[in-house]
Amino acid sequence: MTPALKLTDLSKSFPVGKRLFGAPKGIVHAVQPLSLEVDPGETLGIVGESGCGKSTLARMLVGLLAPSTGQIEIDGAPLDTADPAAFGKKIQYVFQDPISSLNPRKTIRQVMEAPLKNLHRMDARARSNRISEIFAAVNLREEFLDRYPHEFSGGQAQRIGIARALAADARILILDEPVSALDVSVQAQVLNLLADLKAEFGLTYLFISHDLAVVEAVSDRVAVLYFGSVVEVGPAKQVFSNPQHPYTKLLADSAPVVGRPLSAPEGENTELPDPLNPPTGCAFRARCVRALPQCATDVPMLEPKGPAEAVACYNPNN
Amino acid sequence: MSGFLRLLARNKLALGGLIVMSMIVLLALITPLLPLADPDVTNTADRFLPPFSEGAFLGTDHLGRDLLSRLMWGTRLSLAVGFSAAVIAATIGAAIGVIAGYYGGRTDNVIMRGVDMLMAFPYILLALAIVAALGPGLMNALIAVAAVNIPFFARNIRGITVGIAHKEFVDAAKLAGLSDAKIILTEVLPNVIPVIVIAMSTTVGWMILETAGLSFLGLGSQPPQADLGSMLGEARSALITNPHTSIVPGLMILVVVMAINLLGDGVRDALDPRLKSGALSRPMPATRVDRTGEAPPAPEDSLLALADLRTQFHVKDRVYKAVGGVDLSLKPGECLGLIGESGSGKSVTALSVMGLVASPPGVVTGGAVYLEGEDLVGAPYEVLRAIRGKRVSYIFQDPLATLHPLYKVGDQLIEAVSSHRRISRTEGRAHAIDLLKRVRIPNAESRVDSYPHEMSGGMRQRVGIAMALANDPDVIIADEPTTALDVTVQAQVLTLLDDLRRERGLAILFITHDFGVVAQLCDRVAVMYAGRIVEEGPTDAILNAPAHPYTSKLMACVPELGGGQRQLEAIPGLPPVVDKLPKGCAFAPRCHIGTEACRQGDIPLDPHGAGRRVRCLTPVTAPQSEEAAQ
């Protein structure tokens, strides 16, 4: 089966402290070369803490950022240009902050019509039919179409954001923290809506979040990102219940869970690695309880471990 | 539009400016229709007639021309030139600024350095140079004034555009296939226009002055055509002998520019979103108290107690009942969790304790806050100030926003102490290091001299906690202190808070929306919905067997780690808006077991088993039946 989305050695580095002439002061590797495949109809969860490169990765996948190296293939066809319009028909983005992703001075109808007009060149009648269809799918009333974004609650605005992504008729959606700005009672509504839409339209999701429980609840597979690299990938039900990489275990142990006594699974003196001056070897070794001498010199590669799992560690938990 | 006028009218000076300006513009518009003498006809026999002469109300000038007529025509011309220059400068400047700000990078650099070069010349020199190159004349003066003001608009608009170009809706437009030109015209420009209007309204006056200046020097309007500047220039030689020829146009310039500037300031205030939302006034040092009736009695043996506390926001004719009668009590060493969704009133409850709700629009309308039996609602500001940070201190959600970016963290810690007691420099520094050690910051001796931006989020929140501990308080109110932190850091901060309260007998009011955090940290929990406590009791009992349907539904919404992929239970509907609360139970419209009785009247917070209270007519679980519920 052709993967819906295939990333090969995709990486992004940013120059820091640009000068008028000569080389920049330093280079930050926001995303290290990474390869991933997402099957059609699958939800791949991506978790990681702030600064791990989640958002940079997401922006590359929709063409908002040009990758430094590597290739993105959608349904087997490579997309080389960083042109959001070329990506837009195949892959769309749902933003974290639903309100600020809507132009405050445009009505919802104008927002919804933009992809239909510019990506699909539909005429007025076809546009109006398509919008009705999508609004019915996301449970929004059509009377909302002539209102402005500030009149909506976060949950409603996020439905509109999802509706806009669907309007482009893309089969892959990048969901970048789609519920972290929402209240818990509304969060569940939106997550369930996403699940229904996926079944109805045969969508493929890349679900990015820092909330392990949410990612686990919605994903088929989960990739754990640390310092710009995938350190572990595997089926959602195993990644957190039986973590292989020490970092995944640290994440799973840190999440507050009802019924588990409070404990800090990590010492207080740990500091995140400096992106401008990355450590040699494994980026996690300074925080790792299982570090070996080898970890200081060699960078562990993502190696298959079991049928569906892969982990980048010389001394995994199991 | 009517809202804009109302905001404008609130500023009396701006209203005055508007009235004066309207009259002047109206007069300028109807000047050709008025029965005035021809402004350019000379009559040397009647030169320098004083004001109020027969046939010349304002007198005549050195060539015997009627001053009133010249003043009217001159004002008309000066206004037209000033406004045209402003429109031209704003259009060109905004176009340059939008393009530089939107594309950024090299385009931005080249354009803005060009603009900087233009700004490096003294403006009058530049204007003179332009007029010198083009030759004197009113049109050329207009071009010069517009050109000189382009950099001001370009810089202003560029700054705003840079902010807008990085907004998510611009990314969304790119993904919807819009071209750059379309994005600039339909996404960026509509959001920039208010800024352009503000910049124009505050510079029109200045441009009228500049045009008058050029005309005064003889580079603008050419004789015999009158504008305010050339009238002044021609009157200069007779300044001592016949001052009225200078005073008439001089006064008009003064009135016009003053009126425009006052109006411009008013327009800016009315359009500025920051000033629009809040009243144009500073918040008071403590929340306004407007308590009718007696304060409810103090509960016994509690350190901090809220009794029937009511806080409202009065915005125009709407009343938002953010806190609608909250009872809470905190014993020494106890940790009470206050859980709820956004808008449930939990933060306002916390801020009301020390009178920190901004007034206007906040008002405490009822109830009491007792700190060891002493009522703090309506206490004099001096009393509150002595307690704030000393006996009751706060930890807020975003430590980057609560720490001052320009001061070292050590100095900020010392300030927190020295505002309550005198402390020497060395003693303060030692105390600050000690505080940083207490919150387990490594290398406290060197970290004390760090600035907030040099620390990570977790470190900054520890500094926030250290500041809360600075005066050995009895109570700490922590408002979502870990929401902005990563999970690994959150675990560290929570452990630290837990250790501190056990070591020092601190009472903590912990506000959060996360049941996992409550379960791990808090002894008791209170659940808030639409400004009221709906359920309260020991954490274990409530988490094991929630009695209020809202609590149980809310818990079911939250996925818990280890459950695998699954469908989540959602609560239908939205939380109510607190300015139109339904009668009876606020949760009834979303409740699956609500009955007609729930919508009738006020439902009390009744005891429900050991140490528990619930505000519900049909609790999900029976009192003290934990085993049955499980």
Side-chain angles (χ1 to χ4, degrees), chain A residues 36 47 56 67-68 77 80 99 103 122 124 139 142 154 156 158 169 202 213 218 220-222 230 246 250 274 291:
Chain A
L36 274 177
V47 288
T56 308
S68 301
D80 294 327
I99 301 280
N103 188 340
M122 286 186 183
N139 301 329
E142 281 186 49
Q156 287 168 329
Q158 194 57 295
D169 205 21
V218 302
D220 300 304
R221 282 193 307 146
V222 173
V230 176
L250 172 66
D274 178 6

Side-chain angles (χ1 to χ4, degrees), chain B residues 379-458:
Chain B
Y381 172 60
E382 296 311 320
V383 174
L384 279 178
R385 200 181 111 88
I387 296 172
R388 284 178 186 175
K390 177 149 180 65
R391 298 187 59 202
V392 178
S393 57
Y394 283 84
I395 305 170
F396 295 101
Q397 178 173 343
D398 181 3
L400 195 56
T402 45
L403 292 174
H404 196 296
L406 296 181
Y407 292 102
K408 294 172 181 168
V409 296
D411 293 340
Q412 301 189 48
L413 286 169
I414 297 170
E415 192 194 7
V417 180
S418 63
S419 58
H420 289 288
R421 62 186 166 95
R422 293 179 65 86
I423 187 165
S424 73
R425 187 83 206 146
T426 46
E427 196 191 339
R429 191 181 162 83
H431 187 60
I433 292 172
D434 181 48
L435 284 168
L436 291 181
K437 280 183 179 159
R438 239 188 276 171
V439 294
R440 325 250 153 80
I441 286 185
N443 302 328
E445 285 83 358
S446 62
R447 280 297 191 181
V448 77
D449 292 319
S450 298
Y451 289 95
H453 71 267
E454 296 171 328
M455 304 181 127
S456 65

Side-chain angles (χ1 to χ4, degrees), chain A residues 49-50 59 92 97 100 103 105-106 118 164 183-185 189 192 213 216-220 256 260 264 266, chain B residues 168-169 171-172 175-176 178 182 187 190-191 341-342 486 488 490 495 520 559 562-563 565-566 568 571 573 590:
Chain A
E49 295 182 286
S50 47
R59 292 174 64 81
Q92 275 287 345
D97 184 343
S100 81
N103 188 340
R105 293 179 188 274
K106 277 191 166 182
N118 295 287
R164 170 175 58 192
D183 269 318
V184 281
S185 72
Q189 290 173 7
N192 289 339
E216 190 194 47
V218 302
S219 307
D220 300 304
R260 185 162 73 189
E266 180 175 44
Chain B
E168 291 181 335
F169 64 78
D171 285 343
L175 286 168
L178 266 68
K182 260 192 179 167
E187 305 282 335
N191 288 292
E341 297 182 274
S342 51
D486 281 323
T488 52
Q490 165 170 297
T495 322
Q520 292 189 327
Q565 197 176 11
R566 79 211 93 129
L568 298 167
I571 307 179
R590 304 173 76 188

Side-chain angles (χ1 to χ4, degrees), chain B residues 82-83 85-87 89-90 145-146 149 153 203-212:
Chain B
F83 280 116
V87 170
V145 171
N149 282 288
F153 283 95
T203 47
V204 169
W206 185 235
M207 291 200 212
I208 291 175
L209 272 186
E210 282 173 9
T211 323

Side-chain angles (χ1 to χ4, degrees), chain B residues 11 25 39 59 63 79 85 93 95 98 114 117 130 172 200 222 259 276 288 324 339 392 434 484 488 525 554 593 617:
Chain B
N11 183 339
V25 168
L63 294 175
L79 285 180
V98 167
M117 254 177 332
I130 294 172
M200 264 179 72
Q222 298 301 306
K276 208 189 316 192
R288 194 159 72 83
I339 199 163
V392 178
D434 181 48
T488 52
V525 61
L554 192 62
I593 47 174
L617 297 176

Side-chain angles (χ1 to χ4, degrees), chain B residues 90-264:
Chain B
T91 312
I92 300 178
I96 292 175
V98 167
I99 288 171
Y102 179 73
Y103 287 100
R106 191 147 295 170
T107 317
D108 182 31
N109 244 323
V110 169
I111 292 179
M112 291 324 286
R113 292 305 81 79
V115 167
D116 285 348
M117 254 177 332
L118 219 52
M119 285 191 103
F121 293 99
Y123 82 94
I124 193 76
L125 196 67
L126 187 62
L128 285 175
I130 294 172
V131 174
L134 298 176
L138 201 56
M139 275 317 282
N140 293 342
L142 191 157
I143 293 171
V145 171
V148 165
N149 282 288
I150 285 174
F152 168 79
F153 283 95
R155 291 186 73 105
N156 232 329
I157 302 303
R158 176 197 167 264
I160 304 293
T161 310
V162 167
I164 292 171
H166 290 99
K167 286 256 164 81
E168 291 181 335
F169 64 78
V170 172
D171 285 343
K174 286 181 187 164
L175 286 168
L178 266 68
S179 62
D180 283 343
K182 260 192 179 167
I183 293 180
I184 288 180
L185 287 178
T186 67
E187 305 282 335
V188 178
L189 203 57
N191 288 292
V192 173
I193 281 177
V195 185
I196 300 179
V197 172
I198 291 169
M200 264 179 72
S201 65
T202 48
T203 47
V204 169
W206 185 235
M207 291 200 212
I208 291 175
L209 272 186
E210 282 173 9
T211 323
L214 286 177
S215 290
F216 178 80
L217 296 175
L219 301 170
S221 77
Q222 298 301 306
Q225 195 180 34
D227 85 341
L228 294 173
S230 63
M231 286 174 75
L232 263 185
E234 287 164 0
R236 185 176 40 175
S237 51
L239 184 62
I240 306 296
T241 50
N242 289 290
H244 73 274
T245 50
S246 307
I247 288 171
V248 167
L251 268 181
M252 183 52 105
I253 291 180
L254 179 78
V255 171
V256 166
V257 174
M258 190 103 113
I260 289 183
N261 284 350
L262 290 176
L263 177 62

Side-chain angles (χ1 to χ4, degrees), chain A residues 192-212:
Chain A
N192 289 339
L193 171 70
L194 284 170
D196 295 344
L197 292 172
K198 187 177 140 176
E200 190 177 341
F201 297 108
L203 302 172
T204 305
Y205 288 160
L206 219 76
F207 192 101
I208 300 173
S209 179
H210 68 282
D211 188 328
L212 310 185

